[in-house]
């Protein structure tokens, strides 16, 4: 059968596991497989952009954020912001001085800017966003179209973890992990296809 929607994925989990007694728990297994994908996959389909209103030291991260690709302040010229670890950030920006931010860190569910913004700026953020969780039976997403095994195998891992069938758990975990590795490798190949990689350095820069 095809696996293109949430309903079809739930049916596939029952079919592939041969466990009709797990039907009521299947949405939980799929949700955990979605969580695993959000933590372990970084592909172009997860990239999204949005604007941030930067008018305070702390600004909330976008919904579904899992990791940063880049962050800059719009303007002329555009100002790329440097990421600092929290400990390095607070060793430099402990004062209440205000100016145009030049750096940021991430704490909890917030982006923290340094120095504190002296006016309102527009931040342009490119980040990896977790795929939206399924809710309705007709729901679908990029994974179900392009790498459905990650969710199917992942749900089977969670199912057999719940039932204590370690041999089957290992089998499906191995297949899930291998597929995720192949998807990531294909994504990188597509991203850089046709262009030679150029290693850039800041040595000798301003």
């Amino acid at each position: 059968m095809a696996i293109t929607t949430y309903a079809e994925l739930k049916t596939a989990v029952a079919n592939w596991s041969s466990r009709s007694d797990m039907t009521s728990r299947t949405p939980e297994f799929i949700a955990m497989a979605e969580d695993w994908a959000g933590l372990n996959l970084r592909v172009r389909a997860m990239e999204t952009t949005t604007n941030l209103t930067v008018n305070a030291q702390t600004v909330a991260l976008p919904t579904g954020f899992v990791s940063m690709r880049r962050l800059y302040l719009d303007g002329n010229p555009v100002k790329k912001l440097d990421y600092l670890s929290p400990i390095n950030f607070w060793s430099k920006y402990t004062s209440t001085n205000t100016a145009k931010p030049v750096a940021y860190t991430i704490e909890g569910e917030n982006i923290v800017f340094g120095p504190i913004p002296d006016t309102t700026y527009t931040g342009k953020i490119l980040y990896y966003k977790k795929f939206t969780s399924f809710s309705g039976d007709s729901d679908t997403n990029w994974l179900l179209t392009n790498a459905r095994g990650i969710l199917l195998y992942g749900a089977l891992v969670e199912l057999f973890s719940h039932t204590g069938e370690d041999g089957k758990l290992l089998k499906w975990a191995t297949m899930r992990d291998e597929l995720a590795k192949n998807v990531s490798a294909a994504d990188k190949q597509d991203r850089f296809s046709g262009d030679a990689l150029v290693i850039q350095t800041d040595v000798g820069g301003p």
Side-chain angles (χ1 to χ4, degrees), residues 57 82-94 103-114:
Q57 186 173 37
D82 294 324
Y83 171 78
L84 300 176
S85 67
I87 190 169
N88 289 331
F89 179 90
W90 290 113
S91 69
K92 295 186 66 173
Y93 299 108
T94 56
Y104 74 96
T105 192
I106 295 177
E107 293 189 331
E109 296 300 313
N110 298 295
I111 304 173
V112 187
F113 293 92

Side-chain angles (χ1 to χ4, degrees), residues 14-93:
N15 291 342
W16 285 56
S17 66
S18 299
R19 294 292 300 258
S20 59
D21 57 325
M22 290 287 110
T23 301
S24 64
R25 306 296 300 272
T26 297
E28 300 170 23
F29 303 142
I30 293 173
M32 288 187 282
E34 291 177 307
D35 289 342
W36 186 93
L39 291 170
N40 291 277
L41 279 183
R42 295 294 181 269
V43 294
R44 296 191 318 279
M46 299 172 70
E47 292 181 354
T48 189
T49 60
T50 192
N51 291 346
L52 297 176
T53 300
V54 182
N55 58 5
Q57 186 173 37
T58 299
V59 176
L61 286 165
T63 301
F65 176 96
V66 289
S67 65
M68 188 75 76
R69 286 278 284 145
R70 57 104 175 116
L71 174 58
Y72 68 87
L73 297 183
D74 199 15
N76 188 13
V78 166
K79 175 58 183 176
K80 177 183 176 295
L81 300 183
D82 294 324
Y83 171 78
L84 300 176
S85 67
I87 190 169
N88 289 331
F89 179 90
W90 290 113
S91 69
K92 295 186 66 173
Y93 299 108

Side-chain angles (χ1 to χ4, degrees), residues 140-159:
T140 190
N141 62 17
W142 183 90
L143 279 175
L144 276 185
T145 301
N146 296 278
R148 59 187 62 88
I150 290 176
L151 293 177
L152 173 59
Y153 304 159
L156 292 170
V157 168
E158 302 300 338
L159 187 154

